Amino acid sequence: MFNFLPQQTDPALIRRVDRIEKKLDLLLTRAGIELPEDNLDEVRELARRGDKIAAIKLYREITGAGLAEAKSAVESL
């Protein structure tokens, strides 16, 4: 589940997000796409140390994401 949501979140919102996640997982599975989320520890560490450029570069190498997507993802870590 989400780590960024407050503890007292609307249960309907949580159910809706869960349904969306399940649909996304199904689409990714059927498309044969695997997200390398487990490999992002080094990206998180770089971002934590303030080396944002290196974190974005590594994120792009790992995921194949574009610059804007990688920047957004690193900033959300």
Short mmCIF file of all heavy atoms in Angstrom, two decimals, residues 15-69:
data_model
loop_
_atom_site.label_atom_id
_atom_site.label_comp_id
_atom_site.label_asym_id
_atom_site.label_seq_id
_atom_site.Cartn_x
_atom_site.Cartn_y
_atom_site.Cartn_z
N ARG A 15 -9.54 1.84 -1.55
CA ARG A 15 -10.07 0.76 -2.40
C ARG A 15 -9.89 1.10 -3.88
O ARG A 15 -9.52 0.25 -4.69
CB ARG A 15 -11.53 0.48 -2.08
CG ARG A 15 -11.75 -0.25 -0.78
CD ARG A 15 -13.19 -0.74 -0.63
NE ARG A 15 -14.17 0.34 -0.73
CZ ARG A 15 -14.58 1.11 0.28
NH1 ARG A 15 -14.08 0.93 1.48
NH2 ARG A 15 -15.48 2.05 0.09
N ARG A 16 -10.14 2.36 -4.23
CA ARG A 16 -10.01 2.78 -5.63
C ARG A 16 -8.56 2.67 -6.09
O ARG A 16 -8.27 2.17 -7.18
CB ARG A 16 -10.50 4.22 -5.79
CG ARG A 16 -10.47 4.69 -7.20
CD ARG A 16 -11.11 6.05 -7.33
NE ARG A 16 -11.08 6.44 -8.73
CZ ARG A 16 -11.02 7.68 -9.13
NH1 ARG A 16 -11.04 8.66 -8.27
NH2 ARG A 16 -10.99 7.96 -10.41
N VAL A 17 -7.63 3.12 -5.27
CA VAL A 17 -6.21 3.04 -5.62
C VAL A 17 -5.79 1.57 -5.73
O VAL A 17 -5.05 1.20 -6.65
CB VAL A 17 -5.34 3.80 -4.60
CG1 VAL A 17 -3.86 3.50 -4.81
CG2 VAL A 17 -5.60 5.29 -4.68
N ASP A 18 -6.26 0.73 -4.84
CA ASP A 18 -5.95 -0.70 -4.92
C ASP A 18 -6.44 -1.30 -6.23
O ASP A 18 -5.73 -2.09 -6.86
CB ASP A 18 -6.56 -1.45 -3.73
CG ASP A 18 -5.82 -1.24 -2.44
OD1 ASP A 18 -4.65 -0.80 -2.47
OD2 ASP A 18 -6.41 -1.51 -1.37
N ARG A 19 -7.66 -0.94 -6.65
CA ARG A 19 -8.19 -1.45 -7.93
C ARG A 19 -7.34 -0.96 -9.10
O ARG A 19 -7.04 -1.72 -10.02
CB ARG A 19 -9.65 -1.02 -8.12
CG ARG A 19 -10.62 -1.83 -7.28
CD ARG A 19 -12.07 -1.60 -7.72
NE ARG A 19 -12.44 -0.21 -7.91
CZ ARG A 19 -12.95 0.59 -6.97
NH1 ARG A 19 -13.16 0.14 -5.76
NH2 ARG A 19 -13.28 1.85 -7.26
N ILE A 20 -6.94 0.29 -9.06
CA ILE A 20 -6.10 0.84 -10.13
C ILE A 20 -4.76 0.11 -10.18
O ILE A 20 -4.27 -0.22 -11.25
CB ILE A 20 -5.91 2.36 -9.95
CG1 ILE A 20 -7.22 3.08 -10.19
CG2 ILE A 20 -4.83 2.89 -10.88
CD1 ILE A 20 -7.23 4.54 -9.77
N GLU A 21 -4.17 -0.14 -9.02
CA GLU A 21 -2.89 -0.86 -8.97
C GLU A 21 -3.03 -2.26 -9.54
O GLU A 21 -2.17 -2.73 -10.28
CB GLU A 21 -2.36 -0.93 -7.55
CG GLU A 21 -1.81 0.38 -7.04
CD GLU A 21 -1.26 0.28 -5.64
OE1 GLU A 21 -1.64 -0.65 -4.89
OE2 GLU A 21 -0.43 1.12 -5.30
N LYS A 22 -4.12 -2.95 -9.22
CA LYS A 22 -4.33 -4.29 -9.75
C LYS A 22 -4.47 -4.28 -11.27
O LYS A 22 -3.93 -5.13 -11.97
CB LYS A 22 -5.56 -4.93 -9.11
CG LYS A 22 -5.34 -5.33 -7.67
CD LYS A 22 -6.58 -5.89 -7.04
CE LYS A 22 -6.34 -6.16 -5.56
NZ LYS A 22 -7.56 -6.58 -4.88
N LYS A 23 -5.20 -3.28 -11.78
CA LYS A 23 -5.36 -3.17 -13.23
C LYS A 23 -4.01 -2.88 -13.90
O LYS A 23 -3.68 -3.46 -14.94
CB LYS A 23 -6.35 -2.06 -13.57
CG LYS A 23 -7.77 -2.42 -13.22
CD LYS A 23 -8.71 -1.26 -13.49
CE LYS A 23 -10.12 -1.58 -13.06
NZ LYS A 23 -11.04 -0.45 -13.30
N LEU A 24 -3.25 -2.00 -13.30
CA LEU A 24 -1.93 -1.67 -13.85
C LEU A 24 -1.01 -2.89 -13.83
O LEU A 24 -0.32 -3.16 -14.81
CB LEU A 24 -1.30 -0.52 -13.06
CG LEU A 24 0.07 -0.05 -13.54
CD1 LEU A 24 0.03 0.38 -14.99
CD2 LEU A 24 0.56 1.08 -12.67
N ASP A 25 -1.03 -3.63 -12.72
CA ASP A 25 -0.22 -4.85 -12.64
C ASP A 25 -0.62 -5.84 -13.74
O ASP A 25 0.24 -6.46 -14.36
CB ASP A 25 -0.37 -5.50 -11.27
CG ASP A 25 0.33 -4.75 -10.17
OD1 ASP A 25 1.21 -3.91 -10.47
OD2 ASP A 25 0.00 -4.98 -8.98
N LEU A 26 -1.91 -5.98 -13.97
CA LEU A 26 -2.38 -6.89 -15.02
C LEU A 26 -1.91 -6.44 -16.39
O LEU A 26 -1.42 -7.25 -17.19
CB LEU A 26 -3.91 -6.98 -14.98
CG LEU A 26 -4.55 -7.87 -16.06
CD1 LEU A 26 -4.10 -9.32 -15.90
CD2 LEU A 26 -6.05 -7.76 -15.99
N LEU A 27 -2.02 -5.15 -16.67
CA LEU A 27 -1.57 -4.63 -17.96
C LEU A 27 -0.07 -4.84 -18.15
O LEU A 27 0.37 -5.24 -19.23
CB LEU A 27 -1.90 -3.14 -18.07
CG LEU A 27 -3.37 -2.79 -18.24
CD1 LEU A 27 -3.58 -1.29 -18.11
CD2 LEU A 27 -3.88 -3.29 -19.59
N LEU A 28 0.70 -4.56 -17.12
CA LEU A 28 2.16 -4.75 -17.21
C LEU A 28 2.50 -6.22 -17.43
O LEU A 28 3.37 -6.54 -18.23
CB LEU A 28 2.84 -4.22 -15.95
CG LEU A 28 2.81 -2.70 -15.76
CD1 LEU A 28 3.33 -2.33 -14.38
CD2 LEU A 28 3.61 -2.01 -16.85
N THR A 29 1.81 -7.09 -16.73
CA THR A 29 2.06 -8.53 -16.87
C THR A 29 1.75 -8.99 -18.29
O THR A 29 2.55 -9.68 -18.92
CB THR A 29 1.22 -9.32 -15.86
OG1 THR A 29 1.59 -8.93 -14.54
CG2 THR A 29 1.44 -10.83 -16.02
N ARG A 30 0.60 -8.59 -18.79
CA ARG A 30 0.21 -9.00 -20.15
C ARG A 30 1.12 -8.42 -21.21
O ARG A 30 1.32 -9.01 -22.26
CB ARG A 30 -1.24 -8.63 -20.42
CG ARG A 30 -2.19 -9.49 -19.62
CD ARG A 30 -3.57 -9.43 -20.13
NE ARG A 30 -4.41 -10.36 -19.37
CZ ARG A 30 -5.71 -10.40 -19.46
NH1 ARG A 30 -6.32 -9.57 -20.29
NH2 ARG A 30 -6.39 -11.25 -18.76
N ALA A 31 1.68 -7.25 -20.94
CA ALA A 31 2.60 -6.63 -21.90
C ALA A 31 4.02 -7.16 -21.74
O ALA A 31 4.89 -6.82 -22.53
CB ALA A 31 2.59 -5.11 -21.72
N GLY A 32 4.25 -7.97 -20.71
CA GLY A 32 5.58 -8.53 -20.49
C GLY A 32 6.57 -7.52 -19.94
O GLY A 32 7.77 -7.65 -20.15
N ILE A 33 6.07 -6.52 -19.22
CA ILE A 33 6.93 -5.48 -18.68
C ILE A 33 7.15 -5.74 -17.20
O ILE A 33 6.21 -5.93 -16.44
CB ILE A 33 6.29 -4.08 -18.87
CG1 ILE A 33 6.09 -3.80 -20.36
CG2 ILE A 33 7.12 -3.00 -18.19
CD1 ILE A 33 5.26 -2.57 -20.64
N GLU A 34 8.42 -5.72 -16.81
CA GLU A 34 8.77 -5.87 -15.39
C GLU A 34 9.37 -4.58 -14.90
O GLU A 34 10.28 -4.04 -15.52
CB GLU A 34 9.77 -7.01 -15.20
CG GLU A 34 9.19 -8.38 -15.44
CD GLU A 34 10.18 -9.47 -15.10
OE1 GLU A 34 10.93 -9.30 -14.13
OE2 GLU A 34 10.19 -10.46 -15.82
N LEU A 35 8.86 -4.09 -13.81
CA LEU A 35 9.40 -2.86 -13.22
C LEU A 35 10.53 -3.23 -12.26
O LEU A 35 10.34 -4.05 -11.37
CB LEU A 35 8.32 -2.09 -12.47
CG LEU A 35 7.17 -1.58 -13.32
CD1 LEU A 35 6.15 -0.86 -12.44
CD2 LEU A 35 7.67 -0.65 -14.40
N PRO A 36 11.67 -2.63 -12.42
CA PRO A 36 12.82 -2.96 -11.57
C PRO A 36 12.84 -2.19 -10.26
O PRO A 36 13.84 -1.66 -9.84
CB PRO A 36 14.00 -2.57 -12.45
CG PRO A 36 13.48 -1.44 -13.25
CD PRO A 36 12.05 -1.75 -13.50
N GLU A 37 11.70 -2.12 -9.57
CA GLU A 37 11.60 -1.33 -8.34
C GLU A 37 12.58 -1.81 -7.27
O GLU A 37 13.08 -1.02 -6.49
CB GLU A 37 10.18 -1.37 -7.81
CG GLU A 37 9.21 -0.64 -8.72
CD GLU A 37 7.80 -0.69 -8.19
OE1 GLU A 37 7.62 -0.78 -6.97
OE2 GLU A 37 6.88 -0.63 -9.00
N ASP A 38 12.80 -3.11 -7.22
CA ASP A 38 13.69 -3.64 -6.19
C ASP A 38 15.14 -3.22 -6.38
O ASP A 38 15.95 -3.32 -5.49
CB ASP A 38 13.60 -5.16 -6.15
CG ASP A 38 12.22 -5.64 -5.76
OD1 ASP A 38 11.50 -4.90 -5.08
OD2 ASP A 38 11.88 -6.75 -6.14
N ASN A 39 15.48 -2.77 -7.57
CA ASN A 39 16.85 -2.39 -7.88
C ASN A 39 17.12 -0.90 -7.66
O ASN A 39 18.14 -0.40 -8.09
CB ASN A 39 17.17 -2.74 -9.33
CG ASN A 39 17.04 -4.21 -9.60
OD1 ASN A 39 17.23 -5.02 -8.71
ND2 ASN A 39 16.70 -4.57 -10.81
N LEU A 40 16.22 -0.22 -7.00
CA LEU A 40 16.34 1.22 -6.87
C LEU A 40 17.00 1.66 -5.56
O LEU A 40 17.04 2.85 -5.26
CB LEU A 40 14.97 1.88 -7.01
CG LEU A 40 14.30 1.69 -8.37
CD1 LEU A 40 12.96 2.39 -8.40
CD2 LEU A 40 15.18 2.19 -9.50
N ASP A 41 17.55 0.74 -4.80
CA ASP A 41 18.18 1.10 -3.54
C ASP A 41 19.33 2.08 -3.74
O ASP A 41 19.47 3.05 -3.00
CB ASP A 41 18.69 -0.14 -2.80
CG ASP A 41 17.56 -1.00 -2.28
OD1 ASP A 41 16.45 -0.47 -2.12
OD2 ASP A 41 17.79 -2.20 -2.05
N GLU A 42 20.14 1.85 -4.76
CA GLU A 42 21.27 2.75 -5.02
C GLU A 42 20.78 4.13 -5.46
O GLU A 42 21.35 5.15 -5.08
CB GLU A 42 22.20 2.16 -6.08
CG GLU A 42 23.49 2.95 -6.23
CD GLU A 42 24.47 2.30 -7.20
OE1 GLU A 42 24.24 1.17 -7.65
OE2 GLU A 42 25.46 2.97 -7.52
N VAL A 43 19.69 4.16 -6.23
CA VAL A 43 19.11 5.43 -6.65
C VAL A 43 18.63 6.20 -5.41
O VAL A 43 18.89 7.40 -5.27
CB VAL A 43 17.94 5.22 -7.63
CG1 VAL A 43 17.23 6.53 -7.93
CG2 VAL A 43 18.42 4.56 -8.91
N ARG A 44 17.96 5.49 -4.51
CA ARG A 44 17.49 6.13 -3.27
C ARG A 44 18.66 6.68 -2.45
O ARG A 44 18.57 7.77 -1.90
CB ARG A 44 16.71 5.12 -2.43
CG ARG A 44 15.34 4.82 -2.95
CD ARG A 44 14.56 3.90 -2.00
NE ARG A 44 13.36 3.44 -2.64
CZ ARG A 44 13.25 2.32 -3.32
NH1 ARG A 44 14.29 1.51 -3.45
NH2 ARG A 44 12.11 1.97 -3.87
N GLU A 45 19.73 5.92 -2.39
CA GLU A 45 20.90 6.35 -1.62
C GLU A 45 21.52 7.60 -2.24
O GLU A 45 21.89 8.54 -1.54
CB GLU A 45 21.92 5.22 -1.53
CG GLU A 45 23.18 5.58 -0.77
CD GLU A 45 22.95 5.99 0.68
OE1 GLU A 45 21.92 5.61 1.27
OE2 GLU A 45 23.81 6.71 1.23
N LEU A 46 21.64 7.62 -3.55
CA LEU A 46 22.19 8.80 -4.23
C LEU A 46 21.30 10.02 -3.98
O LEU A 46 21.80 11.11 -3.70
CB LEU A 46 22.32 8.54 -5.73
CG LEU A 46 23.43 7.59 -6.16
CD1 LEU A 46 23.26 7.18 -7.61
CD2 LEU A 46 24.79 8.22 -5.93
N ALA A 47 19.99 9.82 -4.07
CA ALA A 47 19.06 10.93 -3.83
C ALA A 47 19.16 11.40 -2.38
O ALA A 47 19.14 12.60 -2.11
CB ALA A 47 17.64 10.50 -4.17
N ARG A 48 19.27 10.47 -1.46
CA ARG A 48 19.37 10.81 -0.04
C ARG A 48 20.62 11.64 0.24
O ARG A 48 20.59 12.58 1.02
CB ARG A 48 19.40 9.54 0.81
CG ARG A 48 19.34 9.80 2.32
CD ARG A 48 19.63 8.56 3.12
NE ARG A 48 21.00 8.08 2.97
CZ ARG A 48 22.07 8.64 3.51
NH1 ARG A 48 21.96 9.73 4.23
NH2 ARG A 48 23.28 8.13 3.33
N ARG A 49 21.71 11.31 -0.46
CA ARG A 49 22.96 12.05 -0.28
C ARG A 49 22.97 13.39 -1.00
O ARG A 49 23.91 14.16 -0.88
CB ARG A 49 24.14 11.21 -0.77
CG ARG A 49 24.49 10.06 0.16
CD ARG A 49 25.77 9.41 -0.25
NE ARG A 49 25.53 8.62 -1.47
CZ ARG A 49 26.47 8.16 -2.26
NH1 ARG A 49 27.73 8.39 -2.00
NH2 ARG A 49 26.17 7.44 -3.32
N GLY A 50 21.93 13.65 -1.78
CA GLY A 50 21.84 14.91 -2.49
C GLY A 50 22.46 14.90 -3.88
O GLY A 50 22.56 15.93 -4.52
N ASP A 51 22.86 13.72 -4.36
CA ASP A 51 23.45 13.61 -5.70
C ASP A 51 22.33 13.31 -6.70
O ASP A 51 22.22 12.22 -7.25
CB ASP A 51 24.52 12.53 -5.72
CG ASP A 51 25.42 12.63 -6.93
OD1 ASP A 51 25.10 13.42 -7.85
OD2 ASP A 51 26.43 11.92 -6.96
N LYS A 52 21.50 14.32 -6.91
CA LYS A 52 20.29 14.16 -7.72
C LYS A 52 20.61 13.80 -9.17
O LYS A 52 19.94 12.95 -9.76
CB LYS A 52 19.49 15.47 -7.66
CG LYS A 52 18.16 15.43 -8.30
CD LYS A 52 17.44 16.74 -8.02
CE LYS A 52 16.24 16.91 -8.89
NZ LYS A 52 15.59 18.20 -8.66
N ILE A 53 21.62 14.40 -9.74
CA ILE A 53 21.96 14.12 -11.14
C ILE A 53 22.37 12.66 -11.33
O ILE A 53 21.92 11.98 -12.25
CB ILE A 53 23.05 15.09 -11.64
CG1 ILE A 53 22.49 16.51 -11.69
CG2 ILE A 53 23.59 14.65 -13.00
CD1 ILE A 53 23.50 17.58 -11.99
N ALA A 54 23.21 12.17 -10.44
CA ALA A 54 23.63 10.76 -10.52
C ALA A 54 22.44 9.83 -10.30
O ALA A 54 22.33 8.79 -10.95
CB ALA A 54 24.73 10.47 -9.51
N ALA A 55 21.55 10.21 -9.38
CA ALA A 55 20.37 9.40 -9.11
C ALA A 55 19.46 9.33 -10.34
O ALA A 55 18.96 8.26 -10.70
CB ALA A 55 19.60 9.96 -7.91
N ILE A 56 19.27 10.47 -11.00
CA ILE A 56 18.44 10.49 -12.21
C ILE A 56 19.09 9.67 -13.32
O ILE A 56 18.42 8.88 -13.99
CB ILE A 56 18.22 11.95 -12.66
CG1 ILE A 56 17.32 12.68 -11.66
CG2 ILE A 56 17.62 12.00 -14.07
CD1 ILE A 56 17.25 14.18 -11.87
N LYS A 57 20.38 9.82 -13.48
CA LYS A 57 21.09 9.05 -14.52
C LYS A 57 20.96 7.55 -14.27
O LYS A 57 20.65 6.78 -15.19
CB LYS A 57 22.56 9.46 -14.54
CG LYS A 57 23.36 8.75 -15.59
CD LYS A 57 24.81 9.21 -15.59
CE LYS A 57 25.60 8.44 -16.64
NZ LYS A 57 27.01 8.79 -16.63
N LEU A 58 21.18 7.12 -13.04
CA LEU A 58 21.08 5.71 -12.71
C LEU A 58 19.65 5.20 -12.87
O LEU A 58 19.42 4.11 -13.39
CB LEU A 58 21.58 5.45 -11.29
CG LEU A 58 21.57 4.00 -10.82
CD1 LEU A 58 22.42 3.13 -11.75
CD2 LEU A 58 22.05 3.89 -9.39
N TYR A 59 18.69 6.01 -12.46
CA TYR A 59 17.28 5.63 -12.62
C TYR A 59 16.96 5.39 -14.09
O TYR A 59 16.30 4.42 -14.44
CB TYR A 59 16.36 6.72 -12.05
CG TYR A 59 14.91 6.34 -12.08
CD1 TYR A 59 14.32 5.69 -11.01
CD2 TYR A 59 14.11 6.62 -13.19
CE1 TYR A 59 12.98 5.33 -11.03
CE2 TYR A 59 12.78 6.27 -13.23
CZ TYR A 59 12.22 5.62 -12.15
OH TYR A 59 10.89 5.26 -12.19
N ARG A 60 17.45 6.28 -14.94
CA ARG A 60 17.22 6.13 -16.38
C ARG A 60 17.87 4.86 -16.92
O ARG A 60 17.29 4.15 -17.75
CB ARG A 60 17.74 7.34 -17.14
CG ARG A 60 16.93 8.61 -16.85
CD ARG A 60 17.40 9.76 -17.67
NE ARG A 60 16.97 9.54 -19.06
CZ ARG A 60 17.43 10.21 -20.09
NH1 ARG A 60 18.35 11.14 -19.93
NH2 ARG A 60 17.00 9.96 -21.30
N GLU A 61 19.08 4.54 -16.44
CA GLU A 61 19.76 3.33 -16.89
C GLU A 61 18.99 2.08 -16.47
O GLU A 61 18.86 1.13 -17.23
CB GLU A 61 21.18 3.27 -16.31
CG GLU A 61 22.13 4.27 -16.91
CD GLU A 61 23.49 4.29 -16.21
OE1 GLU A 61 23.76 3.39 -15.38
OE2 GLU A 61 24.27 5.22 -16.47
N ILE A 62 18.49 2.09 -15.25
CA ILE A 62 17.79 0.92 -14.71
C ILE A 62 16.44 0.73 -15.38
O ILE A 62 16.07 -0.39 -15.74
CB ILE A 62 17.61 1.04 -13.18
CG1 ILE A 62 18.97 0.95 -12.48
CG2 ILE A 62 16.66 -0.02 -12.64
CD1 ILE A 62 18.92 1.27 -11.00
N THR A 63 15.69 1.82 -15.54
CA THR A 63 14.30 1.70 -15.98
C THR A 63 14.08 1.98 -17.45
O THR A 63 13.04 1.62 -18.00
CB THR A 63 13.40 2.68 -15.19
OG1 THR A 63 13.78 4.02 -15.51
CG2 THR A 63 13.50 2.42 -13.69
N GLY A 64 15.01 2.69 -18.09
CA GLY A 64 14.79 3.08 -19.48
C GLY A 64 13.86 4.29 -19.59
O GLY A 64 13.39 4.61 -20.68
N ALA A 65 13.61 4.96 -18.49
CA ALA A 65 12.71 6.11 -18.46
C ALA A 65 13.34 7.31 -19.14
O ALA A 65 14.56 7.41 -19.25
CB ALA A 65 12.37 6.46 -17.01
N GLY A 66 12.50 8.23 -19.56
CA GLY A 66 12.97 9.49 -20.12
C GLY A 66 13.44 10.41 -19.01
O GLY A 66 13.24 10.14 -17.82
N LEU A 67 14.03 11.52 -19.40
CA LEU A 67 14.59 12.46 -18.44
C LEU A 67 13.53 13.02 -17.49
O LEU A 67 13.72 13.02 -16.27
CB LEU A 67 15.30 13.60 -19.16
CG LEU A 67 15.96 14.64 -18.27
CD1 LEU A 67 16.99 14.01 -17.35
CD2 LEU A 67 16.59 15.74 -19.12
N ALA A 68 12.41 13.48 -18.02
CA ALA A 68 11.38 14.09 -17.17
C ALA A 68 10.80 13.07 -16.20
O ALA A 68 10.59 13.37 -15.02
CB ALA A 68 10.28 14.68 -18.04
N GLU A 69 10.54 11.86 -16.69
CA GLU A 69 9.99 10.81 -15.84
C GLU A 69 10.99 10.44 -14.74
O GLU A 69 10.61 10.27 -13.58
CB GLU A 69 9.65 9.58 -16.68
CG GLU A 69 9.06 8.44 -15.88
CD GLU A 69 8.81 7.20 -16.72
OE1 GLU A 69 8.96 7.25 -17.96
OE2 GLU A 69 8.48 6.17 -16.12
#
